[in-house]
Amino acid sequence: MADCQNQQKMLKPKTFDEENLEDELPISVPRSTFQAGVIIFMVAVLCFVNSYDGEFVFDDTEAIENNKDLLPSTPISNLLENDFWGRKLSNLSHKSYRPITVLTFRWNYWAAGGLYPKGFHIVNILLHGFVCVLLMPAYKVVLSINAMHSSPKSSLLCSLLFAVHPVHTESVAGVVGRADLLCALFFILSFLMYVKGITRESAFCPSNCSYLWIIISMSFCACATFSKEQGITVIGICSAYDILAVCKYNSYKMSRSYNYSITVHQKYKNKIALEDNWKMALIKRQLLLTVSAVFLLVVRWRVMGSAPPIFQIHDNPHSFVNGTIFRAINYNYLYAINSWILLSAHWLCFDWSMGCIPTITSVTDPRILVVCIFWIVLLLIARRCLCLKSNRSLILAVLLIAVPFLPASNILFRVGFVVAERVLYIPSAGFCILIVLGLKALCKINKFKHIAFAGFVLLLLVFFLRSIQRSSEWRRGISLFKSGEKVCPLNAKVHYNIGKLSADSGNTTLAQLHYRLAIKLNPMYDQAMNNLANILKDNNLTEEAEQLLDKAVSISSDFAAAWMNRGIVKAALKKFTEAEFSYKRGIHYRKNYPDCYYNLGNLYLDMGRSQDALEAWHNATVLKPTHWNSWNNAIILLDNLNQHEKAASLALVALRILPNNSALKFSLANVYGKQEKYNESEKLFHEALRGDPQNANIYLNLGVLYHRWGRYSDALLYYKQSFQLNPQNSITQENMKLLQSKLKSKN
């Protein structure tokens, strides 16, 4: 060991490869790493802090609000069985398997005692701050590859640029972006642990390598992978760093046929034996990385059911373009768009699908020039990587962009999106290195130094302000979707989401306008057809609603909600046979569909098939015990069939599940009234009134009870209260007249 240590000190003289451009940067850094970290953390938080009180928007609805895996009542083991959206992993799911991310959502729910978005947003903002701070030592590692010195100025500038980049808004301000934040956090930790492990080994003392740190690194890699799928790509970065930094690979000399490893060791004794040890250590580490990657891939593949997810053409139309050449052109055009998003702080959109970026299907399409320019830039960067002597940082920066982006590239498998800003969270770390390397190169020229640095500061300021403005847009759904309309006016999903929010807020006129525009832009948009049909149905435009729903189920034969809504419309048009078929198709495609059973029961009631109606409502309550409409309809039907005992028994069962439901108490009170159980009926009517004090029917039926009971003054009082709430009810008026006549005759 002593000989090895002595040999370590016999380093070759400093060459151009170790040229230090740090001093050329006109900036001073904080005295301590802690101070630098505080500055970076504060800047990162300030960019996005105004999103702390935002709503759950866009994908948050499915991943958070509708995700039962967040509920304390759901077994925690379900996180290992379900996808990111809380659905069983199957051929119908997107197979996004992120149990660690969902576990943090569950912790948020537990800590806040419910679905309060503020806590979710605050955690995201803090996570972004921690990621930015952790990136500083990672940047120091990457930027110090070319020399023995550190790069505190460059790493600080890279971290600041990463902290303020507007492309991160979706990952920070959108709660589902936590998958990217956690993935990046574990990604960086994995890389730093790997560096710590292998840098204990010099090129001449391979026995010093700490495999414990490498194992810890791979553990963090697993955490990154199960936070989001692209986390596994850190293995590629670790492998590249090993070859570039520890093994001193130099593409400039390799391209000129130098045997660089022999050059490094030629001054030392036993160079062949030492070189063999060095190579063997490298092989061992690369094997360990390969085994880890294969293990994680196998686990992930088994979790997916040994089959990739299935996506539709509207999810990613560019991957369905006919012809390999045109498909490749479209993919490269998307890569150019992603590159432009990293460069441009203005062109950001929450969703890039459904017409936002039309496909390229002709050689005369002028966008092919964009692809050519993109490849020219790539070739220039590749040439610089191969020919520049001081090239290791540049190569690793390019790899840090390309390798984490690989799962989203459509090369390995088809993805379910066109462009997604969230997937650029980790690749943007490499982009920041490229910008700072360019800044250092410009600062080397004295007359450009201050101009270049002023330009960089201006870039930071522009990105900072844009991040604040963009995170404000993410606070509310309507502002987010309106911003998307400005960037991608041809995006059908943008108009669909505006229509959905407008309908939820009661503005059905605006909702119809945007739904129709969404269908015009995408004539196969079945979800927009379904939602528009619902509005038309509520406005008694049943024939147009019927046409839309017929088309929706012809486009997506497994669209269960559209089948159910089609059944409702067919039933309204008295097409009972078609309605029954529609309901049964909806149940076929979604086994656990209580609403469909409920509507099927209503159909059977209209058809006079009382027993079938009761059975359908029973199925609805089995699937969803809190489905009070089904309980209530069954109680009323049994009561109308004079099966009062069964009706009362069923109502008592329902009230054990829903003890505060006024409608159930009202129905049971009516049953007791017919059984002349006046005291029990009176008590339930009053309980129902406490829960629903503005319900005119409760006052009316309570008046009827008192009328039967012979308590005429009480009956008249409640008739009058019912009349005040609903003067148009003829039954109330008739009952009042009858009672008043009876009272007059008595007098």
Side-chain angles (χ1 to χ4, degrees), residues 333-483:
Y333 181 66
L334 295 182
Y335 305 155
I337 293 293
N338 278 279
S339 303
W340 179 248
I341 290 172
L342 287 174
L343 288 167
S344 171
H346 174 70
W347 217 36
L348 298 175
C349 185
F350 72 96
D351 185 88
W352 295 82
S353 62
M354 292 199 179
C356 191
I357 304 175
T359 56
I360 298 173
T361 56
S362 170
V363 292
T364 59
D365 194 316
R367 290 176 296 167
I368 292 179
L369 291 175
V370 175
V371 177
C372 295
I373 294 170
F374 173 72
W375 269 102
I376 290 171
V377 173
L378 281 186
L379 291 173
L380 289 174
I381 293 174
R383 182 178 181 276
R384 193 163 181 84
C385 288
L386 291 172
C387 299
L388 186 66
K389 294 183 178 182
S390 183
N391 64 356
R392 297 189 188 97
S393 295
L394 178 61
I395 293 174
L396 203 54
V398 172
L399 290 174
L400 192 53
I401 297 173
V403 176
F405 183 75
L406 196 59
S409 65
N410 286 289
I411 294 174
L412 302 177
F413 46 81
R414 177 180 290 153
V415 298
F417 54 84
V418 178
V419 172
E421 292 164 19
R422 290 198 295 263
V423 304
L424 296 175
Y425 190 78
I426 296 176
S428 64
F431 167 80
C432 294
I433 298 175
L434 289 184
I435 297 297
V436 172
L437 289 176
L439 174 65
K440 290 170 72 173
L442 289 173
C443 287
K444 185 182 175 184
I445 307 171
N446 285 331
K447 63 180 180 179
F448 290 145
K449 178 185 293 188
H450 295 290
I451 296 174
F453 191 75
F456 182 82
V457 172
L458 179 62
L459 178 66
L460 288 177
L461 180 61
V462 170
F463 275 13
F464 180 81
L465 295 175
R466 173 59 170 150
S467 292
I468 292 174
Q469 186 261 335
R470 182 62 177 158
S471 61
S472 179
E473 291 176 346
W474 270 86
R475 291 175 64 242
R476 302 287 180 264
I478 192 65
S479 60
L480 176 65
F481 301 143
K482 285 291 186 181
S483 70

Side-chain angles (χ1 to χ4, degrees), residues 568-690:
I568 295 172
V569 169
K570 297 287 186 182
L573 293 170
K574 306 301 180 184
K575 299 179 180 180
F576 295 143
T577 303
E578 291 183 60
E580 182 181 12
F581 174 79
S582 297
Y583 288 137
K584 288 185 175 180
R585 295 304 290 175
I587 293 167
H588 172 76
Y589 288 115
R590 189 190 297 178
K591 306 297 182 185
N592 186 3
Y593 207 174
D595 288 342
C596 203
Y597 275 112
Y598 166 72
N599 284 295
L600 179 60
N602 293 343
L603 173 68
Y604 286 143
L605 181 64
D606 292 339
M607 297 172 69
R609 296 165 58 177
S610 300
Q611 195 56 44
D612 290 334
L614 289 170
E615 184 179 347
W617 291 327
H618 171 72
N619 288 333
T621 57
V622 169
L623 292 171
K624 187 180 179 181
T626 57
H627 202 290
W628 69 270
N629 279 318
S630 295
W631 288 111
N632 204 42
N633 280 15
I635 294 164
I636 294 170
L637 178 57
L638 289 170
D639 185 33
N640 292 338
L641 294 173
N642 295 320
Q643 298 181 30
H644 303 308
E645 290 295 334
K646 285 186 177 180
S649 299
L650 189 64
L652 290 172
V653 172
L655 282 169
R656 281 197 290 270
I657 299 169
L658 298 162
N660 299 316
N661 190 284
S662 297
L664 295 174
K665 291 177 180 178
F666 173 68
S667 297
L668 181 56
N670 284 325
V671 175
Y672 281 155
K674 292 178 182 178
Q675 291 179 311
E676 298 184 356
K677 296 180 179 180
Y678 297 136
N679 290 318
E680 293 90 337
S681 179
E682 179 188 27
K683 179 182 177 183
L684 284 167
F685 273 131
H686 282 291
E687 288 182 9
L689 273 177
R690 283 195 291 272

Side-chain angles (χ1 to χ4, degrees), residues 297-329:
L297 286 172
V298 169
V299 171
R300 189 69 181 79
W301 184 250
R302 293 292 298 272
V303 165
M304 291 170 61
S306 302
I310 299 173
F311 297 110
Q312 305 300 322
I313 187 170
H314 59 262
D315 295 319
N316 184 3
H318 298 75
S319 66
F320 288 87
V321 172
N322 292 328
T324 304
I325 294 176
F326 275 112
R327 200 175 303 126
I329 291 172

Side-chain angles (χ1 to χ4, degrees), residues 31-92:
R31 293 182 179 180
S32 70
T33 303
F34 176 78
Q35 290 176 335
V38 170
I39 292 171
I40 292 168
F41 183 84
M42 290 181 65
V43 170
V45 168
L46 283 173
C47 283
F48 305 104
V49 71
N50 61 343
S51 67
Y52 84 99
D53 62 345
E55 302 171 345
F56 291 125
V57 296
F58 194 41
D59 287 341
D60 295 346
T61 302
E62 288 299 316
I64 310 296
E65 291 184 298
N66 298 336
N67 192 343
K68 293 182 179 179
D69 285 348
L70 273 63
L71 304 177
S73 57
T74 302
I76 200 166
S77 59
N78 280 23
L79 273 62
L80 301 176
E81 301 171 359
N82 296 342
D83 65 13
F84 183 58
W85 314 97
R87 305 187 187 101
K88 287 289 183 183
L89 285 160
S90 65
N91 290 333
L92 299 178

Side-chain angles (χ1 to χ4, degrees), residues 188-205:
I188 299 164
L189 287 171
S190 176
F191 175 69
L192 290 174
M193 294 303 102
Y194 189 82
V195 170
K196 188 175 181 65
I198 63 175
T199 51
R200 293 189 53 150
E201 172 191 2
S202 72
F204 315 105
C205 298

Side-chain angles (χ1 to χ4, degrees), residues 534-581:
N534 279 338
I535 295 175
L536 296 174
K537 174 195 67 181
D538 293 339
N539 291 330
N540 296 318
L541 299 171
T542 49
E543 291 183 357
E544 186 181 357
E546 180 186 27
Q547 293 172 5
L548 285 167
L549 291 166
D550 285 345
K551 187 173 181 180
V553 296
S554 68
I555 294 169
S556 299
S557 60
D558 59 349
F559 193 175
W563 280 113
M564 183 188 75
N565 290 325
R566 183 176 185 266
I568 295 172
V569 169
K570 297 287 186 182
L573 293 170
K574 306 301 180 184
K575 299 179 180 180
F576 295 143
T577 303
E578 291 183 60
E580 182 181 12
F581 174 79

